[in-house]
Amino acid sequence: IYDGGGSFREGLSPVEIEGQHGYINKLGEIVIPLKYDFAWVFWEGIAVVEKDGKCGFINKSGKEIIPLIYDVADSFDGGKAKVEKDGKTFYIDKSGNRIN
């Protein structure tokens, strides 16, 4: 039924239908709506999603916990994620605060 998908991680898998991405559970039920241009697997309870060329982060309930304001974003690892905005690369914590 899906045009594409990823691996299950933390109980959810990203899927794609007609260019829109969201997440399913292990029963195949859509649990986070297919409304993103791209979606990555969950790490540390948080996933990177992209919409209109900007990246941000959602939790496993689908809530956008860090706004989609970054040009590039990596998954969280050790409580921090590398992001790029306006040509500058830096790390943020799970609240979206910049880490120096």
Side-chain angles (χ1 to χ4, degrees):
I1 6 181
Y2 304 108
D3 299 328
S7 300
F8 275 95
R9 179 145 172 86
E10 300 185 17
L12 299 175
S13 172
V15 293
E16 174 190 1
I17 298 176
E18 297 180 5
Q20 294 296 295
H21 296 251
Y23 294 85
I24 59 170
N25 62 19
K26 290 190 176 183
L27 298 175
E29 302 165 328
I30 295 173
V31 293
I32 298 175
L34 287 87
K35 63 179 185 176
Y36 297 103
D37 297 333
F38 201 81
W40 284 259
V41 296
F42 278 87
W43 288 91
E44 299 184 15
I46 299 172
V48 178
V49 291
E50 181 181 338
K51 181 98 175 143
D52 299 326
K54 295 294 180 180
C55 298
F57 299 85
I58 62 171
N59 64 18
K60 290 170 63 176
S61 298
K63 181 180 178 192
E64 292 179 10
I65 58 171
I66 299 174
L68 282 75
I69 59 172
Y70 300 102
D71 302 316
V72 178
D74 289 339
S75 296
F76 273 88
D77 184 18
K80 64 183 179 180
K82 185 165 79 171
V83 295
E84 181 180 317
K85 184 177 178 188
D86 301 326
K88 296 179 182 168
T89 302
F90 53 94
Y91 286 89
I92 59 171
D93 65 18
K94 290 184 177 183
S95 296
N97 299 314
R98 188 175 178 154
I99 301 171
N100 294 329

